[in-house]
Amino acid sequence: MPARGGAAVGLLIDTNIVLDLVLARAQWANDAALLFDAIARERFRGFLAGHAVTTVHYIVERATNSRTAATAIADLLQILTIVPLDAADFQRALAMNLNDYEDAVQVAACLKVGADFLVTRNQKDFKGGGVATRAPAEVLALLAAL
């Protein structure tokens, strides 16, 4: 899916979307799977904020077991580009007018890599963050429209 300069559209994937896929959350797993499939097929460029890697591992391990968590992280590392965050990014997030600091860090990661969209089910949580948000189904509709 070409964007500026012919590069694929960049998507910063929110932690909840990753967990929808890995934990097979019934209501959202299908859209998450289709989204990750499109990323794996290089229809989109997928990014994951560095801090989300440990969060995903922790939540998946608690919900399942350490082997499942490790496999999930290994798979994510194969298809997503991890956005390294530093002190300046965390400071930038502190200065944002968002109610949730973790959401602000997601926005900082999105801005750092210049992703076109932050993909989340909780779009209202990112209002005022200065990034375009889309639900997985909206991103998949963009792909289908091409």
Side-chain angles (χ1 to χ4, degrees):
M1 181 170 192
R4 307 178 293 269
V9 170
L11 307 174
L12 190 287
I13 309 299
D14 194 13
T15 307
N16 61 17
I17 306 303
V18 175
L19 293 171
D20 291 346
L21 175 70
V22 176
L23 296 177
R25 293 174 172 168
Q27 187 174 352
W28 306 290
N30 188 58
D31 282 349
L34 292 171
L35 180 66
F36 276 86
D37 182 62
I39 293 168
R41 293 175 184 268
E42 299 181 357
R43 300 295 307 270
F44 298 109
R45 288 193 66 214
F47 298 94
L48 183 67
H51 76 288
V53 175
T54 57
T55 302
V56 168
H57 188 283
Y58 175 79
I59 292 171
V60 173
E61 184 176 41
R62 288 185 54 101
T64 60
N65 57 59
S66 61
R67 185 174 183 182
T68 300
T71 299
I73 297 302
D75 291 346
L76 290 171
L77 295 174
Q78 289 293 312
I79 66 168
L80 298 176
T81 299
I82 304 303
V83 181
L85 300 169
D86 59 24
D89 301 311
F90 290 105
Q91 286 286 7
R92 184 179 200 177
L94 281 173
M96 290 180 192
N97 190 26
L98 294 178
N99 291 332
D100 185 283
Y101 181 63
E102 196 276 335
D103 290 342
V105 174
Q106 293 283 6
V107 169
C110 189
L111 293 169
K112 184 171 190 164
V113 296
D116 297 282
F117 302 112
L118 192 157
V119 182
T120 183
R121 286 188 287 100
N122 304 320
Q123 291 176 277
K124 66 180 175 24
D125 295 344
F126 295 93
K127 291 227 185 281
V131 297
T133 59
R134 296 290 184 274
E138 293 174 299
V139 174
L140 294 167
L142 289 173
L143 184 61
L146 291 178

